[in-house]
Amino acid sequence: MLEFMKLPNPYTQRKLAEARNLSPYDGPLAAINMGFHQSYTRLVEQELAQLGGRVPVVVVIGDDATLLCDGGEQREQVIPARYHEVKALAHLAFGVQLTLMANGSGRLTELTTNELHEKRAQIREAHAATANVMLASASSSSTATTASNAPAELLSRARTLVDRVLAEGAVDFERLQKDIRALASHALETAQLAVCMELDQLHALLGRWRNHLGEARWAGLYVVVCSAHQPRYREATCQYFDRLLHQPESSGAEREDRLVYAEGLCDIDSALDLLARHIVDQRASNLLFGDRRRLQEDLLADAAATEVRKLLPKLRRCPTGAHR
């Protein structure tokens, strides 16, 4: 296990420096504001001193999971290369749809025609790859039932859709809807192969780490999952850790406890900083409100709800067609 250098955390120091540029900029109120941020940062640093040392932490970023404990760092790849190959096949279906959307209803533009011809060539080349994907997937008992013919059927459906649009020389979404929906269905089945590969490998790794830590230390484990905005709701690894750590399912921070979702963060320092702030906020919230999760929502939420009802006492329905 590699040695993990924890302090000082550059991300935490940068956040404190940024606080000096917040309004108010001068006078006694500026000093009060800065004093708050300094005290808060001191508490964050106290938590950071424990995280990855006495308190074990798992951070999931991209293809890797990292265990931080006893001042050491152990990083393992949990998403195999074949995962990305399978996911690329699922992207094919979405790519065809995006090309049609960019063209819009009506006759095909020259650009769209060229893109569809290119995609048809890609489909032909991808057929050979699907045999390897299915063979590798079938070797795992948990993925064997989902392997079926999803990748091959996906490519076949995509080719049929592309050929039809090229033959007609136009895009008619009403007429194509059945074909597009069928393509989406096979894309989801293909994507299931990818997530099975990921979670099977993650499960095996966490089993080894749990044995390494022992049940007493495992009970104090924290997990940070770093990912993007869109998949936050029901993100695959979060679903796994929710069940593993007996955490309530949630799409936001208000229910987070031992599992924290780090939206838009992509390195260990920023992930640990977020986790430390999460722990400090829970401690402060419990002291102030008797509810450790109260600060996991906007402090002004209740007052805002009252004011919004005053400003907008009657709800107006959104005009039909306002959202596409």
Side-chain angles (χ1 to χ4, degrees), residues 85-98:
E85 295 172 3
V86 174
K87 195 173 179 180
L89 290 175
H91 282 164
L92 176 64
F94 195 33
V96 171
Q97 178 186 337
L98 293 178

Side-chain angles (χ1 to χ4, degrees), residues 222-240:
Y222 283 96
V223 176
V224 184
V225 175
C226 300
S227 192
H229 170 75
Q230 285 295 76
R232 178 173 191 131
Y233 175 59
R234 301 181 71 223
E235 196 271 344
T237 52
C238 281
Q239 289 193 59
Y240 173 81

Side-chain angles (χ1 to χ4, degrees), residues 240-291:
Y240 173 81
F241 281 113
D242 276 338
R243 192 168 181 86
L244 181 70
L245 303 177
H246 307 287
Q247 301 294 285
E249 289 189 22
S250 172
S251 60
E254 76 279 1
R255 300 294 295 170
E256 291 181 340
D257 194 3
R258 292 172 62 196
L259 170 63
V260 175
Y261 186 91
E263 185 174 310
L265 302 183
C266 57
D267 60 75
I268 297 291
D269 286 334
S270 59
L272 289 178
D273 174 84
L274 176 65
L275 177 57
R277 292 171 190 273
H278 165 76
I279 295 171
V280 168
D281 286 354
Q282 283 197 332
R283 289 173 54 199
S285 185
N286 195 47
L287 182 63
L288 288 167
F289 305 108
D291 176 3

Side-chain angles (χ1 to χ4, degrees), residues 12-316:
T12 305
Q13 296 301 309
R14 186 161 66 249
K15 296 284 284 187
L16 178 60
E18 290 171 355
R20 294 187 172 90
N21 297 320
L22 299 176
S23 180
Y25 301 108
D26 50 40
L29 295 182
I32 290 172
N33 199 41
M34 195 60 211
F36 161 80
H37 286 288
Q38 289 171 337
S39 297
Y40 185 82
T41 298
R42 187 162 64 251
L43 283 169
V44 169
E45 289 179 333
Q46 288 175 6
E47 292 298 334
L48 284 170
Q50 303 298 319
L51 297 177
R54 183 179 60 84
V55 179
V57 180
V58 169
V59 180
V60 180
I61 304 176
D63 292 357
D64 300 332
T66 302
L67 172 65
L68 306 170
C69 68
D70 298 326
E73 172 182 325
Q74 182 177 340
R75 180 173 301 177
E76 299 280 351
Q77 183 176 344
V78 292
I79 297 183
R82 197 162 298 279
Y83 165 96
H84 297 289
E85 295 172 3
V86 174
K87 195 173 179 180
L89 290 175
H91 282 164
L92 176 64
F94 195 33
V96 171
Q97 178 186 337
L98 293 178
T99 296
L100 300 181
M101 289 172 61
N103 185 90
S105 297
R107 294 189 60 81
L108 298 182
T109 66
E110 182 180 356
L111 176 60
T112 299
T113 301
N114 291 336
E115 285 188 5
L116 291 177
H117 279 294
E118 182 180 345
K119 291 188 183 302
R120 184 162 60 178
Q122 291 172 347
I123 292 169
R124 185 170 58 250
E125 294 170 358
H127 264 293
T130 60
N132 295 330
V133 166
M134 292 171 62
L135 182 62
S137 300
S139 64
S140 170
S141 58
S142 62
T143 60
T145 56
T146 61
S148 63
N149 295 315
E153 187 64 26
L154 171 67
L155 292 173
S156 178
R157 295 271 185 170
R159 184 180 57 210
T160 299
L161 176 59
V162 169
D163 287 345
R164 178 178 177 182
V165 174
L166 285 172
E168 295 177 354
V171 177
D172 185 333
F173 287 107
E174 289 188 7
R175 292 174 58 191
L176 295 173
Q177 186 177 74
K178 183 178 180 180
D179 293 325
I180 292 174
R181 295 285 169 81
L183 188 62
S185 176
H186 289 293
L188 289 177
E189 289 182 25
T190 302
Q192 186 178 354
L193 297 175
V195 79
C196 286
M197 293 176 190
E198 174 188 8
L199 295 183
D200 283 354
Q201 198 147 322
L202 179 65
H203 182 60
L205 176 63
L206 266 293
R208 295 196 301 271
W209 283 351
R210 184 170 189 166
N211 290 335
H212 170 73
L213 291 173
E215 290 303 312
R217 298 193 68 190
W218 178 265
L221 175 78
Y222 283 96
V223 176
V224 184
V225 175
C226 300
S227 192
H229 170 75
Q230 285 295 76
R232 178 173 191 131
Y233 175 59
R234 301 181 71 223
E235 196 271 344
T237 52
C238 281
Q239 289 193 59
Y240 173 81
F241 281 113
D242 276 338
R243 192 168 181 86
L244 181 70
L245 303 177
H246 307 287
Q247 301 294 285
E249 289 189 22
S250 172
S251 60
E254 76 279 1
R255 300 294 295 170
E256 291 181 340
D257 194 3
R258 292 172 62 196
L259 170 63
V260 175
Y261 186 91
E263 185 174 310
L265 302 183
C266 57
D267 60 75
I268 297 291
D269 286 334
S270 59
L272 289 178
D273 174 84
L274 176 65
L275 177 57
R277 292 171 190 273
H278 165 76
I279 295 171
V280 168
D281 286 354
Q282 283 197 332
R283 289 173 54 199
S285 185
N286 195 47
L287 182 63
L288 288 167
F289 305 108
D291 176 3
R292 64 193 174 94
R293 290 195 174 98
R294 178 60 184 84
L295 290 178
Q296 291 173 225
E297 60 180 278
D298 191 346
L299 184 61
L300 308 178
D302 294 337
T306 300
E307 187 64 16
V308 167
R309 283 193 292 269
K310 290 179 183 177
L311 296 173
L312 302 170
K314 295 182 179 180
L315 293 177
R316 296 182 180 181

